[in-house]
PDB file of all heavy atoms in Angstrom:
ATOM      1  N   LYS O  22     134.190  13.908 139.428  1.00 98.00           N
ATOM      2  CA  LYS O  22     135.213  12.859 139.294  1.00 98.00           C
ATOM      3  C   LYS O  22     134.565  11.609 138.727  1.00 98.00           C
ATOM      4  O   LYS O  22     133.595  11.100 139.268  1.00 98.00           O
ATOM      5  CB  LYS O  22     135.786  12.501 140.670  1.00 98.00           C
ATOM      6  CG  LYS O  22     136.937  13.365 141.094  1.00 98.00           C
ATOM      7  CD  LYS O  22     137.582  12.807 142.347  1.00 98.00           C
ATOM      8  CE  LYS O  22     138.551  13.836 142.892  1.00 98.00           C
ATOM      9  NZ  LYS O  22     138.883  13.643 144.276  1.00 98.00           N
ATOM     10  N   LEU O  24     135.112   7.623 137.436  1.00 98.00           N
ATOM     11  CA  LEU O  24     135.946   6.416 137.364  1.00 98.00           C
ATOM     12  C   LEU O  24     135.579   5.710 136.056  1.00 98.00           C
ATOM     13  O   LEU O  24     134.416   5.340 135.849  1.00 98.00           O
ATOM     14  CB  LEU O  24     135.659   5.493 138.557  1.00 98.00           C
ATOM     15  CG  LEU O  24     136.264   4.081 138.481  1.00 98.00           C
ATOM     16  CD1 LEU O  24     137.785   4.128 138.507  1.00 98.00           C
ATOM     17  CD2 LEU O  24     135.761   3.209 139.632  1.00 98.00           C
ATOM     18  N   THR O  33     143.175  -3.995 129.569  1.00 98.00           N
ATOM     19  CA  THR O  33     142.255  -3.783 130.684  1.00 98.00           C
ATOM     20  C   THR O  33     142.697  -2.465 131.304  1.00 98.00           C
ATOM     21  O   THR O  33     143.842  -2.342 131.745  1.00 98.00           O
ATOM     22  CB  THR O  33     142.387  -4.891 131.756  1.00 98.00           C
ATOM     23  OG1 THR O  33     142.613  -6.132 131.109  1.00 98.00           O
ATOM     24  CG2 THR O  33     141.162  -4.952 132.640  1.00 98.00           C
ATOM     25  N   ASN O  40     136.538  16.521 135.747  1.00 98.00           N
ATOM     26  CA  ASN O  40     135.937  17.494 134.822  1.00 98.00           C
ATOM     27  C   ASN O  40     136.312  17.263 133.358  1.00 98.00           C
ATOM     28  O   ASN O  40     136.440  18.210 132.582  1.00 98.00           O
ATOM     29  CB  ASN O  40     136.328  18.926 135.222  1.00 98.00           C
ATOM     30  CG  ASN O  40     135.818  19.272 136.610  1.00 98.00           C
ATOM     31  OD1 ASN O  40     134.835  18.683 137.076  1.00 98.00           O
ATOM     32  ND2 ASN O  40     136.482  20.184 137.289  1.00 98.00           N
ATOM     33  N   GLY O  61     148.271 -12.361 117.059  1.00 85.00           N
ATOM     34  CA  GLY O  61     147.116 -11.444 117.021  1.00 85.00           C
ATOM     35  C   GLY O  61     146.218 -11.722 118.220  1.00 85.00           C
ATOM     36  O   GLY O  61     146.467 -12.680 118.965  1.00 85.00           O
ATOM     37  N   ALA O  86     145.027   7.671 142.104  1.00 98.00           N
ATOM     38  CA  ALA O  86     144.347   8.970 142.053  1.00 98.00           C
ATOM     39  C   ALA O  86     144.156   9.526 143.471  1.00 98.00           C
ATOM     40  O   ALA O  86     143.648  10.636 143.638  1.00 98.00           O
ATOM     41  CB  ALA O  86     142.995   8.819 141.379  1.00 98.00           C
ATOM     42  N   THR O  89     138.829   7.723 147.011  1.00 97.00           N
ATOM     43  CA  THR O  89     138.024   6.576 147.433  1.00 97.00           C
ATOM     44  C   THR O  89     136.793   6.492 146.516  1.00 97.00           C
ATOM     45  O   THR O  89     136.444   7.476 145.852  1.00 97.00           O
ATOM     46  CB  THR O  89     137.540   6.736 148.880  1.00 97.00           C
ATOM     47  OG1 THR O  89     136.688   7.881 148.917  1.00 97.00           O
ATOM     48  CG2 THR O  89     138.704   6.904 149.852  1.00 97.00           C
ATOM     49  N   ASP O  94     131.843  10.489 141.369  1.00 98.00           N
ATOM     50  CA  ASP O  94     130.479  10.935 141.038  1.00 98.00           C
ATOM     51  C   ASP O  94     129.764   9.986 140.096  1.00 98.00           C
ATOM     52  O   ASP O  94     128.542   9.892 140.124  1.00 98.00           O
ATOM     53  CB  ASP O  94     130.543  12.328 140.395  1.00 98.00           C
ATOM     54  CG  ASP O  94     131.059  13.355 141.376  1.00 98.00           C
ATOM     55  OD1 ASP O  94     130.294  13.780 142.242  1.00 98.00           O
ATOM     56  OD2 ASP O  94     132.263  13.701 141.290  1.00 98.00           O
ATOM     57  N   ALA O  95     130.515   9.333 139.210  1.00 98.00           N
ATOM     58  CA  ALA O  95     129.869   8.436 138.240  1.00 98.00           C
ATOM     59  C   ALA O  95     130.876   7.398 137.757  1.00 98.00           C
ATOM     60  O   ALA O  95     132.091   7.626 137.811  1.00 98.00           O
ATOM     61  CB  ALA O  95     129.348   9.236 137.047  1.00 98.00           C
ATOM     62  N   ILE O 127     127.576   5.508 133.090  1.00 98.00           N
ATOM     63  CA  ILE O 127     127.590   6.182 131.781  1.00 98.00           C
ATOM     64  C   ILE O 127     128.162   5.241 130.728  1.00 98.00           C
ATOM     65  O   ILE O 127     129.251   4.688 130.899  1.00 98.00           O
ATOM     66  CB  ILE O 127     128.424   7.481 131.831  1.00 98.00           C
ATOM     67  CG1 ILE O 127     127.874   8.391 132.923  1.00 98.00           C
ATOM     68  CG2 ILE O 127     128.420   8.194 130.483  1.00 98.00           C
ATOM     69  CD1 ILE O 127     128.784   9.519 133.282  1.00 98.00           C
ATOM     70  N   GLY O 138     140.289  11.755 123.960  1.00 98.00           N
ATOM     71  CA  GLY O 138     141.667  11.691 124.446  1.00 98.00           C
ATOM     72  C   GLY O 138     142.380  13.017 124.200  1.00 98.00           C
ATOM     73  O   GLY O 138     143.283  13.419 124.944  1.00 98.00           O
ATOM     74  N   THR O 142     144.791  16.123 126.374  1.00 97.00           N
ATOM     75  CA  THR O 142     146.065  16.676 125.895  1.00 97.00           C
ATOM     76  C   THR O 142     145.977  18.199 125.732  1.00 97.00           C
ATOM     77  O   THR O 142     146.930  18.914 126.029  1.00 97.00           O
ATOM     78  CB  THR O 142     146.443  16.020 124.543  1.00 97.00           C
ATOM     79  OG1 THR O 142     146.419  14.603 124.719  1.00 97.00           O
ATOM     80  CG2 THR O 142     147.812  16.445 124.073  1.00 97.00           C
ATOM     81  N   LEU O 146     140.992  22.793 123.775  1.00 98.00           N
ATOM     82  CA  LEU O 146     140.330  22.279 122.559  1.00 98.00           C
ATOM     83  C   LEU O 146     138.823  22.119 122.760  1.00 98.00           C
ATOM     84  O   LEU O 146     138.377  21.454 123.693  1.00 98.00           O
ATOM     85  CB  LEU O 146     140.939  20.919 122.163  1.00 98.00           C
ATOM     86  CG  LEU O 146     140.271  20.201 120.986  1.00 98.00           C
ATOM     87  CD1 LEU O 146     140.416  20.999 119.687  1.00 98.00           C
ATOM     88  CD2 LEU O 146     140.856  18.794 120.808  1.00 98.00           C
ATOM     89  N   ILE O 163     135.780  12.502 110.383  1.00 98.00           N
ATOM     90  CA  ILE O 163     134.557  12.798 111.124  1.00 98.00           C
ATOM     91  C   ILE O 163     134.474  14.299 111.364  1.00 98.00           C
ATOM     92  O   ILE O 163     135.494  14.932 111.643  1.00 98.00           O
ATOM     93  CB  ILE O 163     134.624  12.062 112.489  1.00 98.00           C
ATOM     94  CG1 ILE O 163     134.558  10.546 112.277  1.00 98.00           C
ATOM     95  CG2 ILE O 163     133.548  12.496 113.437  1.00 98.00           C
ATOM     96  CD1 ILE O 163     134.819   9.766 113.546  1.00 98.00           C
ATOM     97  N   ASP O 166     130.756  18.051 115.784  1.00 97.00           N
ATOM     98  CA  ASP O 166     130.002  19.305 115.898  1.00 97.00           C
ATOM     99  C   ASP O 166     129.914  19.775 117.346  1.00 97.00           C
ATOM    100  O   ASP O 166     130.010  20.959 117.632  1.00 97.00           O
ATOM    101  CB  ASP O 166     128.596  19.110 115.320  1.00 97.00           C
ATOM    102  CG  ASP O 166     128.676  18.712 113.850  1.00 97.00           C
ATOM    103  OD1 ASP O 166     129.321  19.458 113.090  1.00 97.00           O
ATOM    104  OD2 ASP O 166     128.143  17.661 113.479  1.00 97.00           O
ATOM    105  N   ASN O 169     130.806  14.622 121.877  1.00 94.00           N
ATOM    106  CA  ASN O 169     130.143  13.323 121.674  1.00 94.00           C
ATOM    107  C   ASN O 169     129.086  13.327 120.564  1.00 94.00           C
ATOM    108  O   ASN O 169     128.264  12.411 120.496  1.00 94.00           O
ATOM    109  CB  ASN O 169     129.507  12.810 122.978  1.00 94.00           C
ATOM    110  CG  ASN O 169     130.563  12.515 124.033  1.00 94.00           C
ATOM    111  OD1 ASN O 169     131.694  12.175 123.707  1.00 94.00           O
ATOM    112  ND2 ASN O 169     130.192  12.648 125.301  1.00 94.00           N
ATOM    113  N   HIS O 171     128.773  13.741 116.345  1.00 96.00           N
ATOM    114  CA  HIS O 171     129.544  13.941 115.127  1.00 96.00           C
ATOM    115  C   HIS O 171     128.844  13.337 113.914  1.00 96.00           C
ATOM    116  O   HIS O 171     127.911  12.554 114.048  1.00 96.00           O
ATOM    117  CB  HIS O 171     130.942  13.324 115.293  1.00 96.00           C
ATOM    118  CG  HIS O 171     130.921  11.872 115.668  1.00 96.00           C
ATOM    119  ND1 HIS O 171     131.356  11.417 116.893  1.00 96.00           N
ATOM    120  CD2 HIS O 171     130.517  10.791 114.990  1.00 96.00           C
ATOM    121  CE1 HIS O 171     131.212  10.107 116.940  1.00 96.00           C
ATOM    122  NE2 HIS O 171     130.704   9.698 115.803  1.00 96.00           N
ATOM    123  N   GLY O 175     133.604  10.579 105.728  1.00 98.00           N
ATOM    124  CA  GLY O 175     134.091   9.487 104.884  1.00 98.00           C
ATOM    125  C   GLY O 175     134.663   8.402 105.767  1.00 98.00           C
ATOM    126  O   GLY O 175     135.107   8.679 106.886  1.00 98.00           O
ATOM    127  N   LEU O 195     156.895  -9.829 111.413  1.00 95.00           N
ATOM    128  CA  LEU O 195     157.391  -8.805 112.340  1.00 95.00           C
ATOM    129  C   LEU O 195     156.726  -8.867 113.708  1.00 95.00           C
ATOM    130  O   LEU O 195     157.199  -8.253 114.663  1.00 95.00           O
ATOM    131  CB  LEU O 195     157.169  -7.397 111.745  1.00 95.00           C
ATOM    132  CG  LEU O 195     157.906  -7.097 110.443  1.00 95.00           C
ATOM    133  CD1 LEU O 195     157.521  -5.724 109.912  1.00 95.00           C
ATOM    134  CD2 LEU O 195     159.408  -7.180 110.658  1.00 95.00           C
ATOM    135  N   PHE O 227     137.852   5.656 102.096  1.00 96.00           N
ATOM    136  CA  PHE O 227     139.147   4.983 101.955  1.00 96.00           C
ATOM    137  C   PHE O 227     138.928   3.517 101.601  1.00 96.00           C
ATOM    138  O   PHE O 227     137.861   2.954 101.856  1.00 96.00           O
ATOM    139  CB  PHE O 227     139.926   5.021 103.284  1.00 96.00           C
ATOM    140  CG  PHE O 227     140.196   6.386 103.815  1.00 96.00           C
ATOM    141  CD1 PHE O 227     139.362   6.958 104.768  1.00 96.00           C
ATOM    142  CD2 PHE O 227     141.302   7.105 103.378  1.00 96.00           C
ATOM    143  CE1 PHE O 227     139.619   8.225 105.274  1.00 96.00           C
ATOM    144  CE2 PHE O 227     141.575   8.361 103.873  1.00 96.00           C
ATOM    145  CZ  PHE O 227     140.725   8.931 104.826  1.00 96.00           C
ATOM    146  N   GLU O 266     147.512   9.221 101.766  1.00 95.00           N
ATOM    147  CA  GLU O 266     146.069   9.195 101.505  1.00 95.00           C
ATOM    148  C   GLU O 266     145.295   9.749 102.705  1.00 95.00           C
ATOM    149  O   GLU O 266     144.382  10.564 102.555  1.00 95.00           O
ATOM    150  CB  GLU O 266     145.627   7.766 101.182  1.00 95.00           C
ATOM    151  CG  GLU O 266     144.150   7.706 100.871  1.00 95.00           C
ATOM    152  CD  GLU O 266     143.743   6.442 100.131  1.00 95.00           C
ATOM    153  OE1 GLU O 266     144.602   5.761  99.555  1.00 95.00           O
ATOM    154  OE2 GLU O 266     142.531   6.145 100.144  1.00 95.00           O
ATOM    155  N   LYS O 279     135.282  24.011 105.813  1.00 98.00           N
ATOM    156  CA  LYS O 279     135.732  25.288 106.384  1.00 98.00           C
ATOM    157  C   LYS O 279     136.054  25.186 107.868  1.00 98.00           C
ATOM    158  O   LYS O 279     135.583  25.986 108.689  1.00 98.00           O
ATOM    159  CB  LYS O 279     134.677  26.379 106.135  1.00 98.00           C
ATOM    160  CG  LYS O 279     134.405  26.614 104.669  1.00 98.00           C
ATOM    161  CD  LYS O 279     133.599  27.878 104.422  1.00 98.00           C
ATOM    162  CE  LYS O 279     133.475  28.262 102.975  1.00 98.00           C
ATOM    163  NZ  LYS O 279     133.488  27.201 101.967  1.00 98.00           N
ATOM    164  N   ILE O 308     145.922  25.352 109.049  1.00 98.00           N
ATOM    165  CA  ILE O 308     145.018  24.528 109.859  1.00 98.00           C
ATOM    166  C   ILE O 308     145.793  24.092 111.097  1.00 98.00           C
ATOM    167  O   ILE O 308     146.918  23.581 110.983  1.00 98.00           O
ATOM    168  CB  ILE O 308     144.549  23.290 109.052  1.00 98.00           C
ATOM    169  CG1 ILE O 308     143.669  23.736 107.881  1.00 98.00           C
ATOM    170  CG2 ILE O 308     143.800  22.295 109.942  1.00 98.00           C
ATOM    171  CD1 ILE O 308     143.452  22.681 106.822  1.00 98.00           C
ATOM    172  N   THR O 319     146.746   4.835 121.905  1.00 95.00           N
ATOM    173  CA  THR O 319     146.170   3.483 121.895  1.00 95.00           C
ATOM    174  C   THR O 319     145.195   3.363 123.068  1.00 95.00           C
ATOM    175  O   THR O 319     145.065   4.283 123.878  1.00 95.00           O
ATOM    176  CB  THR O 319     147.276   2.412 121.951  1.00 95.00           C
ATOM    177  OG1 THR O 319     148.225   2.811 122.916  1.00 95.00           O
ATOM    178  CG2 THR O 319     147.969   2.267 120.616  1.00 95.00           C
ATOM    179  N   TYR O 331     131.320  14.685 129.425  1.00 98.00           N
ATOM    180  CA  TYR O 331     130.419  15.529 128.635  1.00 98.00           C
ATOM    181  C   TYR O 331     129.024  14.910 128.533  1.00 98.00           C
ATOM    182  O   TYR O 331     128.028  15.635 128.443  1.00 98.00           O
ATOM    183  CB  TYR O 331     131.054  15.848 127.268  1.00 98.00           C
ATOM    184  CG  TYR O 331     132.238  16.764 127.483  1.00 98.00           C
ATOM    185  CD1 TYR O 331     133.532  16.273 127.521  1.00 98.00           C
ATOM    186  CD2 TYR O 331     132.032  18.110 127.780  1.00 98.00           C
ATOM    187  CE1 TYR O 331     134.607  17.102 127.808  1.00 98.00           C
ATOM    188  CE2 TYR O 331     133.099  18.948 128.072  1.00 98.00           C
ATOM    189  CZ  TYR O 331     134.383  18.437 128.082  1.00 98.00           C
ATOM    190  OH  TYR O 331     135.433  19.261 128.395  1.00 98.00           O
ATOM    191  N   ALA O 335     125.612  16.685 130.360  1.00 97.00           N
ATOM    192  CA  ALA O 335     124.454  16.882 129.467  1.00 97.00           C
ATOM    193  C   ALA O 335     123.283  15.977 129.879  1.00 97.00           C
ATOM    194  O   ALA O 335     122.200  16.072 129.296  1.00 97.00           O
ATOM    195  CB  ALA O 335     124.862  16.589 128.029  1.00 97.00           C
ATOM    196  N   ALA O 347     127.759  -3.680 122.966  1.00 98.00           N
ATOM    197  CA  ALA O 347     127.349  -3.522 121.562  1.00 98.00           C
ATOM    198  C   ALA O 347     128.602  -3.664 120.699  1.00 98.00           C
ATOM    199  O   ALA O 347     129.229  -2.676 120.334  1.00 98.00           O
ATOM    200  CB  ALA O 347     126.704  -2.158 121.361  1.00 98.00           C
ATOM    201  N   LEU O 350     128.827  -1.529 117.494  1.00 95.00           N
ATOM    202  CA  LEU O 350     128.347  -0.143 117.626  1.00 95.00           C
ATOM    203  C   LEU O 350     128.954   0.719 116.520  1.00 95.00           C
ATOM    204  O   LEU O 350     130.159   0.712 116.305  1.00 95.00           O
ATOM    205  CB  LEU O 350     128.771   0.392 119.009  1.00 95.00           C
ATOM    206  CG  LEU O 350     128.234   1.758 119.425  1.00 95.00           C
ATOM    207  CD1 LEU O 350     126.708   1.715 119.568  1.00 95.00           C
ATOM    208  CD2 LEU O 350     128.864   2.184 120.760  1.00 95.00           C
TER     209      LEU O 350
END
Side-chain angles (χ1 to χ4, degrees):
K22 273 189 191 160
L24 169 65
T33 322
N40 298 335
T89 63
D94 295 283
I127 304 166
T142 306
L146 175 64
I163 293 172
D166 300 305
N169 295 331
H171 56 247
L195 298 176
F227 301 96
E266 181 162 342
K279 300 192 171 30
I308 293 165
T319 44
Y331 291 98
L350 187 64

